[in-house]
Amino acid sequence: MRDHYDFYLDLDSVPKELDIRIINIGFSHNQPNYSYGYDRREYFILHYIISGCGTYTVNKETYDLKENDGFIVPPDTTVIYRADMKDPWTVYWVGFHGTKAEYYLSRINVRLHRPVFHFSEKPLLIECFEKLYAEIQSQNISFELIVGYFYQLMGFIQKGSVPNQTSYEPVYYYKNALRFIEHNLRLPLTVKDLANDMGLSPSHTYRIIKKECGLSPHELIEKMKMNKACEMLEKTNISIQEISLLLGYEYVSHFFHVFKKVVGTTPGEYRSNPKQTDQTESPYMNSPVRSKP
């Protein structure tokens, strides 16, 4: 087996119509304590460890990873990964982007706040990586085959992987729910959306959120949207109708109704006197929502 390769495609030759475009395919048997990172890439990179161990740091979180673990490097994100001093890892990777990139990552239960996975059927993934490498080097290259091998790779992971179990405490899921809502305030979110992101059933999601903050998922979503609405009303000149649209409300009348229920006043009254509005009527305002976990 080779000690290292990192082969890049000529992107000008890759059809732009493909929903996944492979950037590069690589393999490395790292030296002890070898580290890499600090820079930013414009595409995703999926790594899979076939032996050894090391650490991966992203978004101020460090993950201790070993054989059969994998991790995702997101685009435009500074990361650091380091091979172990005594048992350095051997790693395959594939770089990719495209309109469906995040969709396929969600299918293997990987998120920006949960960038690691575990897959024990190592030979299946090694075969996919080797097929990708062989086709990329082919003189009569088939981009459809390359995408097909990538789909096969993701399909195996989706069927057989389990999330890296760093923590399964309710507060862990709750913090992930807060991050998901915060990053998707412009969407008309539902409890099913939260459940899908957390990898839980809607009923389990409901119980965790209710226990952690005293609100139902629907109430939590409304409160966080209205917190953002208050911020925009105070700090910007954006019209109330536009704020309504930016927060995922199709009808401004619905936005007015929710704002009145959560904040205790109308958006116009709040903008006129943000510090003097009477919010005591709202059952939500004193609920312990930790917006920056």
Side-chain angles (χ1 to χ4, degrees), residues 19-114:
D19 58 4
I20 289 293
R21 305 178 77 207
I22 303 302
I23 307 296
N24 76 311
I25 179 76
F27 169 86
S28 182
H29 177 64
N30 293 134
Q31 296 299 312
N33 209 37
Y34 172 81
S35 66
Y36 187 81
Y38 302 100
D39 60 348
R40 293 168 177 256
R41 303 295 182 91
E42 297 178 351
Y43 50 89
F44 290 97
I45 311 175
L46 182 149
H47 293 75
Y48 182 67
I49 304 163
I50 64 169
S51 66
C53 55
T55 60
Y56 174 49
T57 301
V58 58
N59 296 327
K60 299 181 181 180
E61 295 282 347
T62 297
Y63 301 88
D64 294 311
L65 302 176
K66 60 185 184 303
E67 181 180 354
N68 296 333
D69 287 337
F71 62 94
I72 290 291
V73 176
D76 301 318
T77 304
T78 300
V79 303
I80 304 172
Y81 33 97
R82 184 183 303 275
D84 187 70
M85 176 66 79
K86 296 181 179 179
D87 187 16
W89 54 23
T90 297
V91 184
Y92 279 96
W93 66 87
V94 56
F96 61 96
H97 69 177
T99 58
K100 291 284 188 175
E102 294 190 33
Y103 167 76
Y104 289 113
L105 289 175
S106 72
R107 294 285 293 162
I108 65 171
N109 204 30
V110 167
R111 303 290 191 276
L112 296 182
H113 57 267
R114 191 170 57 243

Side-chain angles (χ1 to χ4, degrees), residues 43-252:
Y43 50 89
F44 290 97
I45 311 175
L46 182 149
H47 293 75
Y48 182 67
I49 304 163
I50 64 169
S51 66
C53 55
T55 60
Y56 174 49
T57 301
V58 58
N59 296 327
K60 299 181 181 180
E61 295 282 347
T62 297
Y63 301 88
D64 294 311
L65 302 176
K66 60 185 184 303
E67 181 180 354
N68 296 333
D69 287 337
F71 62 94
I72 290 291
V73 176
D76 301 318
T77 304
T78 300
V79 303
I80 304 172
Y81 33 97
R82 184 183 303 275
D84 187 70
M85 176 66 79
K86 296 181 179 179
D87 187 16
W89 54 23
T90 297
V91 184
Y92 279 96
W93 66 87
V94 56
F96 61 96
H97 69 177
T99 58
K100 291 284 188 175
E102 294 190 33
Y103 167 76
Y104 289 113
L105 289 175
S106 72
R107 294 285 293 162
I108 65 171
N109 204 30
V110 167
R111 303 290 191 276
L112 296 182
H113 57 267
R114 191 170 57 243
V116 295
F117 63 91
H118 182 85
F119 183 80
S120 59
E121 299 295 325
K122 180 169 55 182
L124 294 176
L125 297 197
I126 290 177
E127 182 180 3
C128 290
F129 280 114
E130 288 296 323
K131 285 180 177 178
L132 278 168
Y133 177 65
E135 188 59 37
I136 284 175
Q137 289 193 311
S138 171
Q139 291 184 350
N140 185 25
I141 188 170
S142 168
F143 295 106
E144 285 73 20
L145 272 179
I146 289 174
V147 173
Y149 294 143
F150 177 82
Y151 288 160
Q152 190 177 42
L153 176 77
M154 299 299 274
F156 283 137
I157 297 173
Q158 190 271 330
K159 287 188 68 175
S161 68
V162 295
N164 184 282
Q165 299 185 14
T166 54
S167 173
Y168 279 87
E169 296 297 323
V171 67
Y172 168 78
Y173 288 113
Y174 176 66
K175 288 180 178 180
N176 286 342
L178 292 180
R179 291 190 185 99
F180 181 77
I181 296 170
E182 188 173 15
H183 293 157
N184 293 278
L185 288 173
R186 300 188 178 198
L187 300 178
L189 297 172
T190 66
V191 63
K192 187 176 181 180
D193 296 322
L194 298 183
N196 288 341
D197 181 74
M198 296 161 67
L200 303 174
S201 68
S203 59
H204 194 183
T205 300
Y206 182 99
R207 289 194 296 271
I208 287 175
I209 291 177
K210 186 71 173 180
K211 178 182 178 181
E212 290 297 316
C213 70
L215 302 176
S216 70
H218 177 71
E219 291 169 339
L220 177 63
I221 291 167
E222 286 188 335
K223 178 170 175 56
M224 292 184 68
K225 282 177 178 281
M226 294 308 105
N227 284 347
K228 188 64 176 180
C230 289
E231 179 183 334
M232 288 191 284
L233 288 167
E234 287 189 53
K235 298 181 180 180
T236 75
N237 293 320
I238 299 175
S239 70
I240 293 174
Q241 183 174 8
E242 188 173 355
I243 291 174
S244 170
L245 292 173
L246 288 173
L247 293 174
Y249 293 95
E250 184 178 1
Y251 301 105
V252 69

